[in-house]
Amino acid sequence: MRDIVLISDSRVAAIPVEENGEPLVDVRGRLRVDGRSADPDGAFAHLREGLLLRLEEAQARLPAGHRLLVVEGYRPIAEQRRIFEDYAAFLEMKFPDMSPGWIRSAASRYVSPVEVAPHTAGAAVDLTLCTGDGVELDLGTPLNATPEQSDGACYTGAPGLSAEARHHRRLLGAALESAGLVNYPTEWWHWSYGDRYWAMATGARAARYGPRLL
Protein backbone atom coordinates (compact mmCIF):
# COMPACT_ATOMS: atom_id res chain seq x y z
CA MET A 1 0.00 0.00 0.00
CA ARG A 2 1.43 3.40 -0.96
CA ASP A 3 2.32 5.98 1.67
CA ILE A 4 -0.74 7.92 2.77
CA VAL A 5 -0.77 11.64 3.54
CA LEU A 6 -3.22 12.09 6.40
CA ILE A 7 -5.53 15.08 6.46
CA SER A 8 -3.90 16.23 9.73
CA ASP A 9 -0.60 16.70 7.88
CA SER A 10 0.74 20.25 8.07
CA ARG A 11 1.04 20.30 4.26
CA VAL A 12 -2.74 20.05 4.00
CA ALA A 13 -3.41 22.81 6.54
CA ALA A 14 -0.94 25.08 4.73
CA ILE A 15 -3.02 25.12 1.54
CA PRO A 16 -4.94 28.40 1.27
CA VAL A 17 -8.69 28.59 0.73
CA GLU A 18 -10.07 30.87 -1.98
CA GLU A 19 -13.79 30.60 -1.26
CA ASN A 20 -15.81 30.69 -4.49
CA GLY A 21 -19.18 31.26 -2.84
CA GLU A 22 -21.05 28.29 -4.29
CA PRO A 23 -24.21 27.52 -2.33
CA LEU A 24 -24.96 24.40 -0.36
CA VAL A 25 -27.74 22.55 -2.18
CA ASP A 26 -30.00 19.66 -1.20
CA VAL A 27 -29.12 16.45 -3.01
CA ARG A 28 -32.44 14.77 -2.25
CA GLY A 29 -34.44 14.27 -5.41
CA ARG A 30 -31.27 14.34 -7.51
CA LEU A 31 -29.36 11.37 -6.06
CA ARG A 32 -30.41 8.43 -3.91
CA VAL A 33 -29.94 9.34 -0.23
CA ASP A 34 -29.77 7.06 2.80
CA GLY A 35 -31.03 8.35 6.15
CA ARG A 36 -28.72 6.59 8.61
CA SER A 37 -26.79 9.83 9.31
CA ALA A 38 -29.79 12.13 9.02
CA ASP A 39 -30.06 15.10 11.37
CA PRO A 40 -33.25 17.03 12.21
CA ASP A 41 -32.26 19.96 9.98
CA GLY A 42 -31.38 17.81 6.97
CA ALA A 43 -27.83 19.18 6.89
CA PHE A 44 -26.47 15.74 6.01
CA ALA A 45 -28.13 15.88 2.59
CA HIS A 46 -26.47 19.11 1.46
CA LEU A 47 -23.36 19.58 -0.66
CA ARG A 48 -21.70 22.35 -2.61
CA GLU A 49 -23.32 22.75 -5.99
CA GLY A 50 -20.12 21.94 -7.88
CA LEU A 51 -19.66 18.70 -5.97
CA LEU A 52 -23.25 17.63 -6.60
CA LEU A 53 -22.89 18.25 -10.33
CA ARG A 54 -19.81 16.03 -10.36
CA LEU A 55 -21.62 13.30 -8.45
CA GLU A 56 -24.38 13.38 -11.03
CA GLU A 57 -21.71 13.02 -13.70
CA ALA A 58 -20.24 10.05 -11.83
CA GLN A 59 -23.69 8.50 -11.49
CA ALA A 60 -24.10 8.63 -15.26
CA ARG A 61 -20.82 6.74 -15.70
CA LEU A 62 -21.88 3.76 -13.59
CA PRO A 63 -23.04 0.57 -15.29
CA ALA A 64 -26.76 -0.06 -15.60
CA GLY A 65 -28.27 -1.25 -12.33
CA HIS A 66 -25.79 0.61 -10.12
CA ARG A 67 -26.49 3.77 -8.16
CA LEU A 68 -24.57 6.08 -5.85
CA LEU A 69 -26.00 6.04 -2.33
CA VAL A 70 -25.24 9.25 -0.44
CA VAL A 71 -24.99 8.78 3.33
CA GLU A 72 -23.59 12.09 4.58
CA GLY A 73 -22.47 15.37 3.08
CA TYR A 74 -22.40 18.63 5.00
CA ARG A 75 -21.64 18.41 8.71
CA PRO A 76 -21.96 21.33 11.14
CA ILE A 77 -18.72 22.46 12.76
CA ALA A 78 -19.86 21.58 16.28
CA GLU A 79 -20.74 18.03 15.19
CA GLN A 80 -17.39 17.63 13.43
CA ARG A 81 -15.58 18.71 16.58
CA ARG A 82 -17.61 16.32 18.73
CA ILE A 83 -16.89 13.32 16.50
CA PHE A 84 -13.17 14.08 16.39
CA GLU A 85 -12.89 14.59 20.14
CA ASP A 86 -14.87 11.43 20.92
CA TYR A 87 -12.69 9.29 18.66
CA ALA A 88 -9.49 10.88 19.99
CA ALA A 89 -10.66 10.10 23.54
CA PHE A 90 -11.22 6.47 22.53
CA LEU A 91 -7.70 6.27 21.14
CA GLU A 92 -6.26 7.84 24.30
CA MET A 93 -7.90 5.10 26.35
CA LYS A 94 -6.73 2.36 23.98
CA PHE A 95 -3.17 3.70 23.67
CA PRO A 96 -2.47 5.54 26.96
CA ASP A 97 1.28 5.78 26.35
CA MET A 98 1.00 7.63 23.04
CA SER A 99 1.68 11.35 22.68
CA PRO A 100 -1.03 13.93 21.92
CA GLY A 101 0.50 14.40 18.47
CA TRP A 102 0.27 10.70 17.72
CA ILE A 103 -3.33 10.61 18.95
CA ARG A 104 -4.26 13.54 16.69
CA SER A 105 -2.63 11.92 13.69
CA ALA A 106 -4.18 8.51 14.39
CA ALA A 107 -7.62 10.03 14.89
CA SER A 108 -7.36 11.74 11.52
CA ARG A 109 -7.37 8.36 9.78
CA TYR A 110 -11.08 8.26 10.54
CA VAL A 111 -12.25 11.83 11.16
CA SER A 112 -10.74 15.19 10.21
CA PRO A 113 -9.59 17.77 12.72
CA VAL A 114 -12.18 20.52 12.57
CA GLU A 115 -9.81 23.16 11.18
CA VAL A 116 -9.29 21.21 7.92
CA ALA A 117 -12.51 19.19 7.79
CA PRO A 118 -14.05 19.08 4.29
CA HIS A 119 -17.48 18.00 5.55
CA THR A 120 -17.90 21.39 7.27
CA ALA A 121 -17.40 23.03 3.88
CA GLY A 122 -19.92 20.82 2.09
CA ALA A 123 -16.96 19.61 0.04
CA ALA A 124 -16.97 15.94 1.08
CA VAL A 125 -19.43 13.12 0.77
CA ASP A 126 -19.61 9.70 2.39
CA LEU A 127 -21.26 7.33 -0.02
CA THR A 128 -21.48 3.78 -1.29
CA LEU A 129 -23.03 1.79 -4.13
CA CYS A 130 -26.44 0.19 -4.32
CA THR A 131 -28.64 -1.52 -6.87
CA GLY A 132 -31.41 0.26 -8.69
CA ASP A 133 -33.73 -1.06 -5.97
CA GLY A 134 -31.62 0.45 -3.20
CA VAL A 135 -29.90 -2.73 -1.98
CA GLU A 136 -26.38 -1.89 -0.81
CA LEU A 137 -23.55 -3.68 -2.55
CA ASP A 138 -20.61 -5.31 -0.78
CA LEU A 139 -17.63 -2.97 -0.49
CA GLY A 140 -15.80 -4.97 2.15
CA THR A 141 -16.71 -3.17 5.38
CA PRO A 142 -19.65 -1.21 6.71
CA LEU A 143 -19.49 2.44 5.78
CA ASN A 144 -17.91 4.40 8.66
CA ALA A 145 -16.12 1.36 10.13
CA THR A 146 -13.06 2.54 12.06
CA PRO A 147 -9.59 1.09 11.42
CA GLU A 148 -9.91 -0.75 14.74
CA GLN A 149 -13.35 -2.19 13.94
CA SER A 150 -12.35 -3.29 10.44
CA ASP A 151 -8.74 -4.34 11.15
CA GLY A 152 -7.67 -1.83 8.52
CA ALA A 153 -10.04 -3.07 5.81
CA CYS A 154 -11.61 0.41 5.70
CA TYR A 155 -8.49 1.60 3.87
CA THR A 156 -9.39 1.93 0.20
CA GLY A 157 -6.45 -0.17 -0.97
CA ALA A 158 -6.58 -2.72 1.85
CA PRO A 159 -5.45 -6.25 0.97
CA GLY A 160 -7.50 -9.35 1.64
CA LEU A 161 -10.86 -8.14 0.36
CA SER A 162 -13.19 -10.44 -1.52
CA ALA A 163 -13.16 -10.20 -5.30
CA GLU A 164 -16.67 -8.76 -5.16
CA ALA A 165 -15.78 -6.03 -2.69
CA ARG A 166 -12.63 -5.13 -4.61
CA HIS A 167 -14.64 -4.93 -7.85
CA HIS A 168 -17.19 -2.61 -6.30
CA ARG A 169 -14.52 -0.33 -4.83
CA ARG A 170 -12.87 -0.07 -8.21
CA LEU A 171 -16.20 0.63 -9.89
CA LEU A 172 -16.99 3.38 -7.39
CA GLY A 173 -13.53 4.86 -7.63
CA ALA A 174 -13.42 4.90 -11.42
CA ALA A 175 -16.73 6.77 -11.65
CA LEU A 176 -15.84 9.34 -8.99
CA GLU A 177 -12.27 9.94 -10.12
CA SER A 178 -13.43 10.48 -13.69
CA ALA A 179 -15.72 13.23 -12.38
CA GLY A 180 -12.84 14.99 -10.58
CA LEU A 181 -13.27 13.77 -7.01
CA VAL A 182 -10.46 12.49 -4.78
CA ASN A 183 -10.60 9.75 -2.18
CA TYR A 184 -9.26 9.87 1.37
CA PRO A 185 -7.27 6.61 1.30
CA THR A 186 -8.09 5.51 4.86
CA GLU A 187 -11.85 5.55 4.12
CA TRP A 188 -13.12 3.93 0.93
CA TRP A 189 -16.42 5.81 1.27
CA HIS A 190 -15.03 9.36 1.69
CA TRP A 191 -14.66 11.46 -1.46
CA SER A 192 -14.22 15.18 -1.87
CA TYR A 193 -13.91 18.02 -4.32
CA GLY A 194 -12.72 21.59 -3.82
CA ASP A 195 -11.32 21.18 -0.29
CA ARG A 196 -7.72 21.38 0.92
CA TYR A 197 -7.15 17.63 0.59
CA TRP A 198 -8.44 17.74 -2.99
CA ALA A 199 -6.08 20.64 -3.69
CA MET A 200 -3.12 18.71 -2.31
CA ALA A 201 -3.99 15.57 -4.27
CA THR A 202 -4.53 17.38 -7.56
CA GLY A 203 -1.84 20.03 -7.27
CA ALA A 204 -4.31 22.90 -7.22
CA ARG A 205 -2.93 26.17 -5.84
CA ALA A 206 -5.81 26.66 -3.41
CA ALA A 207 -8.96 25.04 -2.10
CA ARG A 208 -12.27 26.33 -3.50
CA TYR A 209 -14.47 25.73 -0.47
CA GLY A 210 -14.08 26.71 3.18
CA PRO A 211 -16.29 26.07 6.22
CA ARG A 212 -19.89 27.24 5.82
CA LEU A 213 -23.03 27.60 7.86
CA LEU A 214 -26.13 25.96 6.41
Side-chain angles (χ1 to χ4, degrees):
M1 195 181 303
R2 72 184 192 280
D3 291 338
I4 292 173
V5 177
L6 295 175
I7 202 165
S8 59
D9 193 291
S10 60
R11 289 171 289 179
V12 178
I15 294 171
V17 177
E18 296 180 357
E19 173 61 54
N20 73 359
E22 278 183 14
L24 289 163
V25 294
D26 198 328
V27 311
R28 290 170 291 191
R30 295 176 62 173
L31 292 172
R32 188 181 290 271
V33 177
D34 178 272
R36 77 190 73 173
S37 295
D39 60 284
D41 297 325
F44 81 105
H46 287 73
L47 293 170
R48 292 294 187 119
E49 188 172 40
L51 174 52
L52 176 54
L53 290 172
R54 284 164 176 80
L55 289 175
E56 290 177 323
E57 179 184 337
Q59 174 69 75
R61 294 175 182 268
L62 288 172
H66 294 73
R67 297 286 185 273
L68 297 177
L69 182 63
V70 173
V71 174
E72 187 175 18
Y74 176 77
R75 187 182 293 154
I77 292 172
E79 179 65 5
Q80 181 73 32
R81 181 177 290 109
R82 181 194 67 77
I83 296 171
F84 184 85
E85 290 177 352
D86 285 353
Y87 185 52
F90 162 77
L91 292 175
E92 287 172 353
M93 291 182 61
K94 187 174 179 65
F95 305 104
D97 297 330
M98 304 309 290
S99 70
W102 186 93
I103 293 294
R104 184 177 185 275
S105 178
S108 74
R109 298 169 304 161
Y110 176 67
V111 57
S112 301
V114 69
E115 62 271 18
V116 291
H119 279 288
T120 66
V125 60
D126 296 337
L127 79 175
T128 187
L129 288 175
C130 66
T131 67
D133 296 328
V135 178
E136 284 189 49
L137 299 175
D138 177 17
L139 277 90
T141 74
L143 189 147
N144 279 335
T146 68
E148 292 76 28
Q149 291 167 336
S150 67
D151 195 25
C154 59
Y155 282 46
T156 307
L161 300 176
S162 70
E164 182 180 30
R166 176 62 58 207
H167 169 70
H168 290 148
R169 289 193 188 187
R170 287 174 177 164
L171 195 66
L172 180 67
L176 294 169
E177 287 172 0
S178 69
L181 279 71
V182 301
N183 172 242
Y184 190 45
T186 62
E187 300 175 324
W188 60 259
W189 57 84
H190 178 105
W191 293 79
S192 67
Y193 170 81
D195 64 306
R196 284 186 170 105
Y197 201 85
W198 165 87
M200 184 209 65
T202 62
R205 185 177 61 83
R208 299 179 180 182
Y209 307 135
R212 291 293 296 269
L213 297 176
L214 184 62

